[in-house]
Amino acid sequence: MAVVHVLDDYYLAITAIVTVAYQLFFFSIAFTFKFDKLTGGSNFAVLAIITLALSGHHHARQLVASLFLIVWAVRLSGFLFFRILRTGSDDRFDDKRNNFFSFLGFWIFQMIWVWTVSLPVTILNSPNVTQYRQHDFGTGRDIAGIVLFAIGFIMESVSDVQKYNFRQNNDKSAVCDKGFFAVSRHPNYFGEIIIQFSIFMIAVSSAADGYVQGQAYKALYATILGPILLTVLLMFVSGLPLSERPKAKARYEKDNNWQGYKQWLDRTSILIPFPPQLYEKMPVLLKRSVFLEFPVYVFHPPTGGAHDEEENLRP
């Protein structure tokens, strides 16, 4: 198959155009009909399929990286769609659904997320990279990428199901501390981060081993922006900040099994899976640094009682 050159030789423009059009299409339906049962995550799969088809080269490394992105996107989109069908609405949109610009802002945010996180596969499939001879798939870096993807995919998909089943079978006072949630408060986020770094590891393999050079070499390494952006979003924008302190605060103020929830917070790593028996005894300094439980995530109840005073002594 011949390589198809579209707008630029890294497929940056065509993927941007497709992403904007795709997301605006979903937005127009969602806003017009106040319909929450649409997810834009399938956009990842569309970009992977388009760039792979245009590339004219179907080396094993391209196929594996593209397939991994597609499988992850289809699984995530399918789960979110199923969950919204069962719950009836997406509570993320409760304060945005009737405001055009607020609602549009979410979809613009998603455009940036999809396009950037897809970069490793987009660049790997682009003409400026495929013009170089690819070495055989199966290097140590490739195998490590496959292993990491498998770990991340299992952790994200299983923990999503565990959390969903827990919410269906327990009241709001219960604490989800079973399965992967016994070793991480956000195993789904950890799995998602691992997945994106695994795809980058596979995509950059040819450059790391000296087969891709010049500007294409730099472009492949620059795609680390994708997994880094995902990590930043989950840790500082739309993931942990919206979950950790707000949920703890709500538990405390409503006296909703606060002591049970606090015990789970103290015993369970915020992101990186770790045995709770060891994490509970770990110095606060290590929790706040090595294990990424930054002070911004920690809720300190106001002074007012013995247990509150003890809590306020925590760094």
Side-chain angles (χ1 to χ4, degrees), residues 10-26:
Y10 287 113
Y11 291 154
L12 297 177
I14 185 61
T15 52
I17 292 171
V18 169
T19 299
V20 171
Y22 195 87
Q23 297 294 330
L24 286 180
F25 174 73
F26 277 103

Side-chain angles (χ1 to χ4, degrees), residues 237-262:
V237 182
S238 63
L240 302 185
L242 299 182
S243 177
E244 282 296 309
R245 181 176 285 186
K247 288 186 177 179
K249 184 174 184 290
R251 286 265 187 174
Y252 178 82
E253 292 178 344
K254 297 177 181 178
D255 195 20
N256 183 17
N257 191 15
W258 164 244
Q259 287 301 322
Y261 192 74
K262 179 178 179 298

Side-chain angles (χ1 to χ4, degrees), residues 11-166:
Y11 291 154
L12 297 177
I14 185 61
T15 52
I17 292 171
V18 169
T19 299
V20 171
Y22 195 87
Q23 297 294 330
L24 286 180
F25 174 73
F26 277 103
F27 162 75
S28 63
I29 296 175
F31 183 77
T32 301
F33 298 102
K34 303 299 183 286
F35 189 66
D36 288 351
K37 298 174 179 63
L38 294 174
T39 61
S42 54
N43 198 163
F44 291 102
V46 170
L47 296 187
I49 292 170
I50 288 176
T51 56
L52 186 64
L54 292 175
S55 73
H57 297 80
H58 297 150
H59 187 274
R61 189 165 290 103
Q62 290 177 262
L63 292 173
V64 170
S66 300
L67 179 62
F68 280 0
L69 187 64
I70 293 169
V71 169
W72 168 74
V74 170
R75 202 286 313 172
L76 180 61
S77 297
F79 173 75
L80 294 177
F81 182 68
F82 166 79
R83 190 176 66 181
I84 294 174
L85 283 178
R86 295 299 298 269
T87 59
S89 64
D90 190 332
D91 56 14
R92 293 177 300 173
F93 301 141
D94 287 346
D95 59 344
K96 300 180 178 67
R97 197 176 291 112
N98 296 315
N99 186 305
F100 179 86
F101 291 105
S102 293
F103 200 40
L104 177 61
F106 171 84
W107 293 90
I108 292 175
F109 175 83
Q110 193 160 251
M111 293 174 194
I112 298 171
W113 171 57
V114 170
W115 184 82
T116 306
V117 173
S118 297
L119 281 176
V121 168
T122 298
I123 300 300
L124 177 65
N125 289 335
S126 69
N128 272 2
V129 171
T130 57
Q131 67 176 317
Y132 293 95
R133 183 175 69 88
Q134 298 285 309
H135 57 319
D136 292 339
F137 185 82
T139 65
R141 191 174 289 99
D142 294 330
I143 300 304
I146 292 175
V147 171
L148 285 176
F149 178 85
I151 293 172
F153 189 80
I154 291 171
M155 181 161 284
E156 183 184 23
S157 56
V158 171
S159 61
D160 277 344
V161 173
Q162 289 175 339
K163 175 60 74 69
Y164 177 81
N165 288 337
F166 180 85

